[in-house]
Amino acid sequence: MQSNLVIFPNAGAAKNSTQTEERTISKYDRAEEQFIQLLAMEDLDNELHVKPARASEFEQTLSIAIGAAYGNDRSDQQAHRFLQRILYRINRLKLFWYDDLRHYSNERSLYLYSCRDQIEAAWQNWELAQIDVPALQQLDVKHALIERTSADLNPPLSQSSRYIREKMTEAGYRHLLAIGSFDGLVEGSRLCYVLGGAANEVQCTLVRVLLEEYGNGRLSRKHSTFFAQMLAEFGMNTQPEAYFDLVPWEVLACDNHNFLTSDRKRYFLRYSGALTYFEVAGPAAYKNYLAAAQRLGLSEAAMGYWELHIREDERHGRWMLDDVALSLAERYPNDAWELLLGYDQDKLMGDRAAGAVMRSIREAEQAA
């Protein structure tokens, strides 16, 4: 990052109150570095078949982290961070990053799949335990969807929303962009996983959403281009994942959950419910960011992404409710409750992530 910019604190450099916690964090860092080396290894599965000990330290730490994050009432935040970072490093191999082709040598590695499944099994049980699934199964799904979307379209301003609109500094705004770039520079990429198959109105609506996310095939109009312009206005790094170390685990969890539900066709209804919430609720958050940018007197280029999203996501939200979610509720009456599960999970995880981002912004402002 250029020297004239705000220096963002490393999200991994947490303040530790005890030597035990410092050792734990160091252990997770070492295990992640070992995993990165495994990812880069030529013919990983065969190498580990010959020398399984090469992954032993990582596997031991992985097992410890799963227990620390999901095995008790007091979850270890560093364990959450380690697990979500490992899971993301595996999941990102599903996308093409226009980099060295050798980086994809292990994209179908059975070992990586086993690591992913081990984390996901414990993590998903932990996430599902926070939702009253039996209650969802008793609801009138179409009525519940209409009620939820109506409430989430224009929610009352929260304390965090007011802070963003009225008090967030330019340093905080830059920090918001840095974290937001993690998704903003590759937005919509995972939607392609759900588009294949039989043609119908639902599929065509999802294609329309994807096409608008991609600027109808014009790079200059693609949403990520507008996000890159905001970063460039501040002289910030416009490369995807440039600020990966700043991303809270709660944000990574949203991304990894998106990978899971879009990749597994059995979760198609959950994904559709989640995307409905995302498109419906998005404009309210973007209006907060836009208001902050306008108060700070920033240029059009420094806020253009928010303006674009407010316009387009209001339309996408209507499409997702009317032409996707409600249509799927009719098509799958026995499983329609999964639309509500996806919707409620995305809201719950999104609120959790927003809280983490807000804490990170305040820390960045204090450091600045």
Side-chain angles (χ1 to χ4, degrees), residues 2-239:
Q2 298 176 11
S3 59
N4 63 330
L5 299 180
V6 175
I7 298 176
F8 301 114
N10 189 323
K15 295 179 180 179
N16 309 313
S17 58
T18 65
Q19 291 184 348
T20 300
E21 187 176 355
E22 288 175 357
R23 286 198 300 271
T24 302
I25 293 173
S26 176
K27 176 169 59 181
Y28 289 143
D29 290 340
R30 286 199 309 272
E32 185 174 351
E33 284 302 314
Q34 183 183 26
F35 184 74
I36 292 172
Q37 294 172 11
L38 293 174
L39 280 173
M41 193 176 294
E42 188 71 26
D43 196 5
L44 172 62
D45 288 356
N46 186 59
E47 286 292 326
L48 292 182
H49 178 72
V50 176
K51 297 180 180 179
R54 300 181 72 167
S56 58
E57 182 180 350
F58 164 73
E59 290 170 356
Q60 290 172 5
T61 305
L62 181 66
S63 179
I64 291 171
I66 289 174
Y70 311 125
N72 53 56
D73 293 333
R74 187 177 179 276
S75 294
D76 184 327
Q77 297 299 300
Q78 292 301 321
H80 276 291
R81 179 176 183 271
F82 167 72
L83 292 169
Q84 294 300 330
R85 284 169 68 92
I86 294 299
L87 192 54
Y88 176 76
R89 291 188 185 280
I90 298 172
N91 283 332
R92 71 183 298 280
L93 292 174
K94 298 173 184 176
L95 304 180
F96 188 63
W97 298 87
Y98 291 88
D99 54 353
D100 191 331
L101 297 178
R102 289 173 294 183
H103 292 168
Y104 306 92
S105 298
N106 295 310
E107 65 179 312
R108 303 192 73 179
S109 163
L110 295 179
Y111 180 76
L112 295 183
Y113 280 15
S114 69
C115 293
R116 180 200 63 192
D117 292 348
Q118 188 178 349
I119 297 171
E120 281 184 349
W123 170 47
Q124 285 296 302
N125 285 336
W126 182 79
E127 294 284 7
L128 280 171
Q130 301 174 57
I131 299 285
D132 189 349
V133 172
L136 293 181
Q137 294 173 326
Q138 302 303 314
L139 294 177
D140 179 322
V141 173
K142 296 177 73 172
H143 179 69
L145 283 168
I146 292 171
E147 279 194 332
R148 280 162 164 73
T149 54
S150 178
D152 293 326
L153 185 60
N154 290 299
L157 290 180
S158 65
Q159 184 177 356
S160 294
S161 296
R162 292 190 182 280
Y163 182 86
I164 291 171
R165 284 172 171 258
E166 301 169 6
K167 296 181 180 180
M168 185 171 67
T169 65
E170 185 172 316
Y173 186 79
R174 294 186 185 195
H175 195 80
L176 172 68
L177 294 186
I179 295 176
S181 69
F182 172 67
D183 184 67
L185 294 178
V186 292
E187 188 182 6
S189 295
R190 291 171 299 279
L191 180 55
C192 65
Y193 284 105
V194 305
L195 297 181
N200 53 59
E201 291 298 327
V202 168
Q203 183 200 41
C204 290
T205 299
L206 292 172
V207 170
R208 288 165 66 196
V209 173
L210 179 68
L211 287 175
E212 290 208 350
E213 296 284 352
Y214 274 75
N216 288 305
R218 293 175 293 170
L219 181 59
S220 63
R221 302 299 301 172
K222 189 178 184 295
H223 289 188
S224 60
T225 298
F226 286 86
F227 204 105
Q229 289 171 353
M230 291 199 299
L231 295 170
E233 188 72 4
F234 292 106
M236 296 171 65
N237 196 324
T238 60
Q239 293 300 309

Side-chain angles (χ1 to χ4, degrees), residues 179 248-251 350-361 363:
I179 295 176
W249 73 260
E250 294 91 341
V251 175
D351 288 347
R352 185 176 67 195
V357 171
M358 197 68 246
R359 291 191 296 272
S360 186
I361 286 173
E363 290 172 4

